[in-house]
Amino acid sequence: MYNLHIATIAIIAANILVSIRGFNDIGFFERYKFSIGGIKAGQKERTITSGFLHVDFSHLLFNMFTLYFFADVVISSFGPTKFLIIYLISLLAGSLLALFFHKDEPYYSAVGASGAVTGVLYSAILLYPDMTLGFFFIPIPLPAYVLGIGYLLYSIYGMKKRLGNIGHTAHFGGAIGGYLITLLFNPSLLATDTLVVVLLALPIIILFVLEKLGKI
């Protein structure tokens, strides 16, 4: 589970190199971060480039550390090419959901690989829903799908309350991307793990129902 495949190394290297450039060149950082105003002005590449920039080393380390633990789970099931597709589609899905929810906020901006990494995490959860995960504040490991559902529900709450300086919307969008592409690559999961597939879909349905009702 903790092997470091060349595909994972390539992604981590790209994040490190682009992030360090951003740390040292504010003009570069501002030009390629996710920005509603910039994207509406035609700079569509920001939806991708922003996913390789980070605010600081701790932000970068956390995302790459999470990727390290879950990338090989996806690669072992799908191979490196499909893993890279899941990563990039999740990154784009995070940006697109942020664009959808913040389209009327021209000064909204964000950076980070969190959307892409969350997509990889949710792909791993779909593939191995019974693996156990734990966080520092949860002393007892829980089934991955339980934490996955809980995290998406927390993201909805974070989006609604604008909690912290965190891109909850991008995280949620990345999870949607990872969820959908994993099912596309392995539709048999709909038959073999129907309950988990449905349970993981519930927070997604809740999000769009709340948006339709104007509650978020």
Side-chain angles (χ1 to χ4, degrees), residues 10-125:
I11 288 177
I12 291 174
N15 274 276
I16 290 173
L17 291 173
V18 175
S19 292
I20 289 176
R21 173 69 186 276
F23 297 157
N24 296 304
D25 185 342
I26 188 63
F28 179 86
F29 183 90
E30 291 294 324
R31 172 61 183 81
Y32 292 108
K33 71 180 182 180
F34 180 90
S35 163
I36 296 293
I39 292 170
K40 284 190 171 183
Q43 297 167 352
K44 303 292 193 299
E45 68 277 5
R46 289 176 182 263
T47 58
I48 297 295
T49 57
S50 59
F52 293 90
L53 289 166
H54 290 82
V55 173
D56 51 35
F57 277 109
S58 62
H59 185 206
L60 172 64
L61 179 62
F62 179 80
N63 279 331
M64 296 304 99
F65 187 71
T66 305
L67 179 66
Y68 165 76
F69 277 109
F70 294 100
D72 195 60
V73 177
V74 179
I75 292 172
S76 65
S77 296
F78 288 139
T81 300
K82 288 183 177 179
F83 161 73
L84 290 172
I85 291 172
I86 289 171
Y87 185 91
L88 292 173
I89 292 295
S90 298
L91 192 165
L92 181 60
S95 291
L96 292 179
L97 194 69
L99 184 61
F100 174 76
F101 274 95
H102 301 287
K103 58 184 177 294
D104 297 323
E105 303 170 47
Y107 296 106
Y108 180 89
S109 64
V111 294
S114 300
V117 173
T118 305
V120 171
L121 169 62
Y122 272 82
S123 178
I125 289 173

